[in-house]
Amino acid sequence: MGTIVNGANGGFKGKAGSIIGSSWKSINYIKGLYKKRTKPASEAQLMQQEKFRTLMRFLLPINVFLKIGFGGKNTEKVTPMNAAFQFNQKMAITGVYPNFALDYAKISISDGGLYGGGTVAVSYDSGELIFTWSTGASETFETFGDDLVYVLAYHPEKDEFISTPAPSTRSTGMVTFLVPDHLATGSVHTWMFLSNRSKNRVSKSVYLGEIQLI
């Protein structure tokens, strides 16, 4: 049974006949009851489903990064996860159905107008990944030494992500972390982006390349 919210002119919550009322972020929605599919999915639908699975398998484990990197993208209508999916689906998925794959160089972890890390690089030495960036700050461009720096590495063979326990800052210019022994073979793909201290402004993420682990 549905319940009227905020009087006769408001929305309603719950089930009423063949429709369901709900709300998200104070926006009222009405939708029809789910109907069990009787027709087989078309090839176009199967292709879209496979694209969704391919990209979401990568994005879901890094939701904590996406909440920052896409947290300002039309948040009244979509979640950061959905914004990240919409942003990446056209560029990052390659291949022909059913053998879709990801072009890691085209994946974005964040998107925004904050100035990034300038000259950025990543290397691997003695079991550690070493990320470096420029330390210069500018009041004109509203960049400061305490801007936060996020780094991320993905091991496709192991399907695992690694990063620092906490973000570094623009003023430090470098961060290193040990690669766990079980990941210290093959290669990793790497990214970096920055946010201001309050995390309401972010830079575009930068793909730093594929690093071979020795």
Side-chain angles (χ1 to χ4, degrees), residues 59 66 70 84 87-88 92 104-111 191 205:
L59 295 178
L66 302 178
F70 286 90
F87 194 90
N88 282 287
Y104 298 109
K106 294 182 179 178
I107 289 178
S108 293
I109 309 300
S110 71
D111 183 62
W191 296 263
S205 62

Side-chain angles (χ1 to χ4, degrees), residues 35-113:
K35 295 181 180 180
K36 187 175 181 180
R37 178 185 292 274
T38 57
K39 292 173 57 178
S42 67
E43 184 175 5
Q45 289 171 327
L46 291 173
M47 288 174 62
Q48 186 59 32
Q49 291 169 9
E50 187 60 30
K51 286 182 178 180
F52 180 86
R53 282 192 291 267
T54 300
L55 183 53
M56 289 300 287
R57 180 180 177 84
F58 179 90
L59 295 178
L60 282 171
I62 57 171
N63 189 39
V64 65
F65 289 89
L66 302 178
K67 285 181 179 179
I68 301 168
F70 286 90
K73 293 288 186 181
N74 202 14
T75 54
E76 291 302 313
K77 294 185 178 180
V78 297
T79 65
M81 175 64 72
N82 287 339
F85 178 85
Q86 293 171 10
F87 194 90
N88 282 287
Q89 65 173 331
K90 291 183 180 180
M91 298 295 294
I93 300 175
T94 65
V96 178
Y97 175 79
N99 300 312
F100 291 126
L102 295 177
D103 184 342
Y104 298 109
K106 294 182 179 178
I107 289 178
S108 293
I109 309 300
S110 71
D111 183 62

Side-chain angles (χ1 to χ4, degrees), residues 130-133 135 168-170 172-176:
I130 305 162
F131 292 80
T132 60
W133 57 89
T135 59
S168 186
T169 59
R170 188 187 294 271
T172 61
M174 182 178 71
V175 68
T176 68

Side-chain angles (χ1 to χ4, degrees), residues 6-209:
N6 297 326
N9 294 322
F12 75 92
K13 184 177 182 181
K15 179 182 176 184
S18 61
I19 58 176
I20 298 174
S22 61
S23 65
W24 182 71
K25 288 185 178 287
S26 300
I27 302 173
N28 295 316
Y29 294 91
I30 296 175
K31 59 184 178 180
L33 288 173
Y34 171 76
K35 295 181 180 180
K36 187 175 181 180
R37 178 185 292 274
T38 57
K39 292 173 57 178
S42 67
E43 184 175 5
Q45 289 171 327
L46 291 173
M47 288 174 62
Q48 186 59 32
Q49 291 169 9
E50 187 60 30
K51 286 182 178 180
F52 180 86
R53 282 192 291 267
T54 300
L55 183 53
M56 289 300 287
R57 180 180 177 84
F58 179 90
L59 295 178
L60 282 171
I62 57 171
N63 189 39
V64 65
F65 289 89
L66 302 178
K67 285 181 179 179
I68 301 168
F70 286 90
K73 293 288 186 181
N74 202 14
T75 54
E76 291 302 313
K77 294 185 178 180
V78 297
T79 65
M81 175 64 72
N82 287 339
F85 178 85
Q86 293 171 10
F87 194 90
N88 282 287
Q89 65 173 331
K90 291 183 180 180
M91 298 295 294
I93 300 175
T94 65
V96 178
Y97 175 79
N99 300 312
F100 291 126
L102 295 177
D103 184 342
Y104 298 109
K106 294 182 179 178
I107 289 178
S108 293
I109 309 300
S110 71
D111 183 62
L114 182 69
Y115 182 75
T119 302
V120 297
V122 62
S123 59
Y124 180 71
D125 185 53
S126 301
E128 290 187 322
L129 281 170
I130 305 162
F131 292 80
T132 60
W133 57 89
S134 301
T135 59
S138 167
E139 290 193 17
T140 301
F141 294 101
E142 297 183 322
T143 60
F144 303 96
D146 64 353
D147 290 340
L148 301 173
V149 180
Y150 305 85
V151 296
L152 184 67
Y154 174 63
H155 198 300
E157 292 179 14
K158 302 292 186 178
D159 192 23
E160 288 190 36
F161 292 90
I162 48 178
S163 184
T164 55
S168 186
T169 59
R170 188 187 294 271
S171 63
T172 61
M174 182 178 71
V175 68
T176 68
F177 60 89
L178 282 169
V179 176
D181 289 343
H182 73 286
L183 298 179
T185 59
S187 63
V188 292
H189 297 271
T190 55
W191 296 263
M192 176 191 296
F193 73 94
L194 286 80
S195 79
N196 63 355
R197 176 60 66 173
S198 58
K199 301 180 183 179
N200 58 11
R201 295 183 65 223
V202 299
S203 71
K204 296 180 184 294
S205 62
V206 178
Y207 175 72
L208 299 177

